[in-house]
Amino acid sequence: MRIVSCLLSMVMMSMLLPVPALASPQLDKLVLPKGFHIAVYSDQVPNAREIALGAKGTVFVGSMGAGKVYALTDTNHDGRADKVRVIASGLEMPVGVAFHDGDLYVSAVSRILVLRDIEDHLDDPPTPQVVYDKLPTKRHHGWKFIAFGPDSKLYVPIGAPCNICNPGNGYAKLLRMNPDGSDVQDVAYGIRNTVGFDWRRGSHQLWFTDNGRDMLGDNVPSDELNRVSHLGENFGYPFCHEGDILDPEFGKGHSCKNYTPPVLKLGAHVASLGMRFYNGRQFPASYRGAIIIAEHGSWNRTQKSGYRVMTVRLHGDKVVSYEPLITGFQQDQKAWGRPVDVQPLPDGSLLVSDDLAGAVYRVTYTP
């Protein structure tokens, strides 16, 4: 069984490895609610992944296969980046970017790097400095979405190094550290691979997406939207999936009642990645405080799922709706785009990264 699982993991990894951005944005195929509009912010960002905002308006974008970190600037404020710079290159899967006190932090599998005072040196970027280099070196789920929390600590996930396995406490978790890499502390366990998390305004509660395992069929298990209520909380992997399905191998002797269930099941194999709370004023009031989730899309489902951007509305901690914001990234089971991350801008518009088309889009609303 473990040999089969290992082989399946290798197949899955080969499917997840980045591919050249062969597609081009086809915005005429996208469907948004009435009053919403989408435009290209930049189509010069190969393998675009996580988005972070600088204090002076710079849009930073990490990448997967390109090994580069990009800085996008809109100097004439027309809603489109007029300059795209490569500020770091030759890095190992630098998916994650996080801006803090003038510095840009970058994830590179086993290391966390920092580019100091970056917005004042976009044309002559500094050499990345190592902040922390004791993360696992495995590349399977080794790319990392990173973000600073309201406690000014850097939160870093460590995905499971497999499709399904019991990797022990060194993997399948979320940890945090000080900006200088000190005081590393585990936050939560039983997380197969989170590639998106954010904190709710007011309560400062941490919410995150998590990708369900593969090879249990088209319709199970579901990806998850979760909320952390206390340090050390366990969300079930590899023993329990989606809160109510015991794993056929690793679930023996366990009960799903012993693990925290998801707040919302997002759907099987939708590949839920970046998520942010929308606190802007441009979108209708019904979006204020809602969660926006980028769903990258399935790779091994008979009928594709995901390939969309979704809105989750909350009343307290309860989900009241889960509905599309953007669809149309695939037609007739063929995808031209795959959403990865979402990032609200100060003016209330929303950026969406697409690693297949190598683009970043900007969503706006006019009544």
Side-chain angles (χ1 to χ4, degrees), residues 146-167:
I146 60 176
F148 277 91
D151 54 6
S152 293
K153 290 181 180 290
L154 180 64
Y155 284 68
V156 180
I158 300 179
C162 54
N163 170 38
I164 183 70
C165 59
N166 185 358

Side-chain angles (χ1 to χ4, degrees), residues 246-259:
L246 284 174
D247 188 82
E249 179 182 2
F250 295 98
K252 296 173 183 177
H254 295 267
S255 170
C256 284
K257 294 180 181 179
N258 295 328
Y259 308 103

Side-chain angles (χ1 to χ4, degrees), residues 49-63:
R49 281 272 170 162
E50 187 179 357
I51 306 169
L53 302 181
K56 299 179 181 180
T58 310
V59 173
F60 298 102
V61 186
S63 67

Side-chain angles (χ1 to χ4, degrees), residues 274-331:
M275 63 141 285
R276 316 274 179 175
F277 283 94
Y278 181 81
N279 297 307
R281 296 278 176 177
Q282 185 179 130
F283 291 5
S286 63
Y287 285 84
R288 208 157 301 142
I291 299 171
I292 312 295
I293 301 176
E295 295 184 351
H296 198 227
S298 59
W299 63 270
N300 66 338
R301 198 171 184 271
T302 304
Q303 296 292 314
K304 292 184 185 299
S305 59
Y307 299 92
R308 60 191 182 180
V309 177
M310 299 293 287
T311 301
V312 179
R313 293 185 177 88
L314 304 171
H315 180 72
D317 289 337
K318 302 292 186 182
V319 173
V320 296
S321 68
Y322 175 47
E323 59 190 32
L325 176 62
I326 311 172
T327 58
F329 288 99
Q330 63 100 2
Q331 289 85 27

Side-chain angles (χ1 to χ4, degrees), residues 207-221:
W207 294 60
F208 67 93
T209 58
D210 193 15
N211 291 177
R213 66 157 292 180
D214 294 301
M215 308 305 178
L216 285 185
D218 272 2
N219 299 315
V220 292

Side-chain angles (χ1 to χ4, degrees), residues 35-85:
F36 284 88
H37 310 275
I38 188 166
V40 172
Y41 188 77
S42 175
D43 58 3
Q44 302 298 313
V45 194
N47 304 120
R49 281 272 170 162
E50 187 179 357
I51 306 169
L53 302 181
K56 299 179 181 180
T58 310
V59 173
F60 298 102
V61 186
S63 67
M64 178 73 95
K68 298 176 180 178
V69 179
Y70 300 87
L72 285 54
T73 51
D74 175 14
T75 56
N76 60 3
H77 307 290
D78 66 349
R80 184 178 178 119
D82 46 59
K83 192 159 190 178
V84 177
R85 300 172 175 90

Side-chain angles (χ1 to χ4, degrees), residues 11-210:
V11 171
M12 188 186 80
M13 188 61 182
S14 68
M15 295 294 292
L16 288 179
L17 285 175
V19 297
L22 300 177
S24 59
Q26 302 176 40
L27 301 191
D28 60 315
K29 295 183 178 180
L30 296 179
V31 178
L32 295 85
K34 185 178 180 179
F36 284 88
H37 310 275
I38 188 166
V40 172
Y41 188 77
S42 175
D43 58 3
Q44 302 298 313
V45 194
N47 304 120
R49 281 272 170 162
E50 187 179 357
I51 306 169
L53 302 181
K56 299 179 181 180
T58 310
V59 173
F60 298 102
V61 186
S63 67
M64 178 73 95
K68 298 176 180 178
V69 179
Y70 300 87
L72 285 54
T73 51
D74 175 14
T75 56
N76 60 3
H77 307 290
D78 66 349
R80 184 178 178 119
D82 46 59
K83 192 159 190 178
V84 177
R85 300 172 175 90
V86 174
I87 57 171
S89 60
L91 304 181
E92 186 178 21
M93 303 168 80
V95 166
V97 285
F99 188 84
H100 180 71
D101 286 348
D103 302 329
L104 184 70
Y105 290 73
V106 179
S107 67
V109 183
S110 63
R111 303 185 299 165
I112 301 296
L113 310 171
V114 64
L115 284 74
R116 302 289 186 194
D117 197 23
I118 184 59
E119 283 189 291
D120 289 335
H121 298 90
L122 294 177
D123 289 319
D124 57 337
T127 301
Q129 300 174 12
V130 176
V131 170
Y132 190 79
D133 62 358
K134 296 180 176 60
L135 297 169
T137 59
K138 293 183 181 295
R139 292 169 60 92
H140 193 124
H141 296 155
W143 58 89
K144 295 170 174 62
F145 176 104
I146 60 176
F148 277 91
D151 54 6
S152 293
K153 290 181 180 290
L154 180 64
Y155 284 68
V156 180
I158 300 179
C162 54
N163 170 38
I164 183 70
C165 59
N166 185 358
N169 286 337
Y171 294 87
K173 65 181 180 179
L174 180 64
L175 55 79
R176 65 184 179 186
M177 65 183 69
N178 289 332
D180 64 0
S182 64
D183 193 25
V184 178
Q185 181 182 30
D186 289 346
V187 174
Y189 305 97
I191 302 169
R192 181 175 177 269
N193 188 38
T194 176
V195 195
F197 42 88
D198 196 13
W199 290 262
R200 194 175 189 181
R201 180 175 290 183
S203 69
H204 289 172
Q205 277 191 322
L206 173 60
W207 294 60
F208 67 93
T209 58
D210 193 15

